[in-house]
Amino acid sequence: MKILSLALLFTYIILSSSCSLANDKIGQIHTMKGDVTIIRGTTVLPANIGTPLQKGDLVRTGKPGAAGIVLTDDSTFSMGSNSELALKEYAFNPKEGKFSLVARMVKGTFAYLSGLIGKLSPDSIQLSIPDATIAIRGTKLLVEVQK
Amino acid sequence: MRTRLYLLSAIILLFCLLTGCAANRTVVLVPDPDGHTGKAEVATTAGKCLLEKPDDITHISDSSSPPEPVSTATKEYISATFSEVLAIEPLPSEKFILFFETGSLKLTEDSQKTISVILDAINRRSALTVTISGHADASGSTLINDRIAFERAGMVQGMLLQKGVDPKRMTLTSHGKANPAVPTPDGVAEPRNRRVEVVIR
């Protein structure tokens, strides 16, 4: 009986981990208040705490609105009201040494804290704001973009 | 009359310098939660500047001008502009490291105790994500290292699952022998690298 339940458990683990690879979750909404939406292609999705994010998502906050995002490499983006963050590219595959984080802070206020990609492969990170790019060496930034 | 005009323009200029009203994009370097400050290079098509000290700040007005020379951000600017952002910031993650008996899936005695510390932390913080990454040392083949690193991570995941941690919150990765805690040449057995790291948020 115990062996059977362990076998089931293991199957479940393998299934659940392969599923998490299939739907390309790159992170999630970790904290939020007020109006937060996710624009995925032509769809506008409501955000909740725990809502998964995918490569290509645009996260938008209204006023009042604020959100804290944690990506799977443990990096975080926090955004204030009337802000937009585009998560353009993302790869975090330490075993094969594949890393990429391309994000654009389109407008609003942000705090960015680098995660494992920042430690293992800082050159794979490309942050941008309108008119400028930011290269980082393991760090935290505050960014304001007025439109 | 004329002096008054001069005075007025001087005040406006001073105001602009203080508030940065010509520049509408701002980047500030601040210390990490652990107190360490990294570096950031801000570049436009016309030039770049390096932020390297806590509270170093630069402004960008447009892509055809270089970023403004670095100055120091005031506490007033930071709290007025970023209080909302800093209030919503997720709590820093907590990391736990579990070690294994050589070549096995058995946790060392100390690490068995760490499991309950991890469970406490998950419940206390209502953690949303639990990232479990398996690591092997540089002895043995890459294939075997990947497999054993993954199996070790799966072992830990199974233990947490049995204790009621939501499987949807857990992510499993294998680093194989990449990213060792203690770098060694290939083929070297190093107990400190045979580990599973659990990061909770």
Side-chain angles (χ1 to χ4, degrees), chain B residues 6-25:
Chain B
Y6 276 131
L7 193 64
L8 189 66
S9 24
I11 287 170
I12 290 172
L13 184 69
L14 187 68
F15 184 76
C16 281
L17 281 175
L18 286 175
T19 59
C21 66
N24 56 4
R25 298 132 178 36

Side-chain angles (χ1 to χ4, degrees), chain A residues 12 15 21 49 52 63 80-81 86 91-92 95 103 115 117 123 136 144:
Chain A
Y12 183 79
L15 282 177
L21 287 177
I49 288 175
K63 195 174 172 75
S81 54
F92 179 58
K95 198 175 73 187
I117 299 177
D123 292 332
I136 62 114
E144 181 186 17

Side-chain angles (χ1 to χ4, degrees), chain A residues 10-115:
Chain A
F10 210 71
T11 318
Y12 183 79
I13 290 169
I14 288 169
L15 282 177
S16 64
S17 49
S18 60
C19 282
S20 71
L21 287 177
N23 70 17
D24 287 320
K25 174 183 163 180
I26 67 165
Q28 64 183 338
I29 304 286
H30 206 87
T31 53
M32 61 167 272
K33 61 175 193 188
D35 172 25
V36 183
T37 49
I38 299 163
I39 291 101
R40 183 171 296 161
T42 52
T43 323
V44 180
L45 305 161
N48 290 297
I49 288 175
T51 300
L53 294 168
Q54 296 179 11
K55 188 171 81 176
D57 282 353
L58 179 81
V59 184
R60 182 182 284 161
T61 58
K63 195 174 172 75
I69 293 163
V70 180
L71 300 181
T72 54
D73 80 320
D74 210 34
S75 55
T76 67
F77 284 97
S78 307
M79 43 204 290
S81 54
N82 274 335
S83 301
E84 268 182 35
L85 172 72
L87 298 164
K88 291 168 173 269
E89 280 295 331
Y90 185 82
F92 179 58
N93 187 341
K95 198 175 73 187
E96 289 164 28
K98 281 192 188 146
F99 304 103
S100 165
L101 168 59
V102 182
R104 186 169 181 86
M105 292 170 263
V106 182
K107 65 167 187 173
T109 48
F110 302 88
Y112 162 78
L113 178 62
S114 63

Side-chain angles (χ1 to χ4, degrees), chain B residues 128 130-132 157 160-161 165-172:
Chain B
L128 280 180
V130 179
T131 311
I132 305 162
Q157 188 184 33
L160 295 177
L161 200 60
V165 178
D166 180 355
K168 288 201 288 291
R169 300 187 178 188
M170 294 195 271
T171 330
L172 204 63

Side-chain angles (χ1 to χ4, degrees), chain A residues 9 13 28 31 74 76 78 80-81 95 109 111 120 130-135 137 139-144 146, chain B residues 24-26 28-30 32 38-43 77 82 84-85 88-89 93 129 157 161 174-175 179 201:
Chain A
L9 194 69
I13 290 169
Q28 64 183 338
T31 53
D74 210 34
T76 67
S78 307
S81 54
K95 198 175 73 187
T109 48
L120 302 172
D131 297 328
T133 58
I134 307 166
R137 284 286 177 274
T139 196
K140 182 171 174 179
L141 297 175
L142 303 176
V143 176
E144 181 186 17
Q146 293 172 7
Chain B
N24 56 4
R25 298 132 178 36
T26 306
V28 191
L29 181 74
V30 292
D32 301 351
K39 284 182 182 158
E41 189 182 72
V42 182
Y77 167 74
F82 297 105
E84 191 184 27
V85 172
I88 205 78
E89 257 195 314
S93 56
T129 57
Q157 188 184 33
L161 200 60
S174 167
H175 291 230
N179 313 317
R201 275 268 199 199

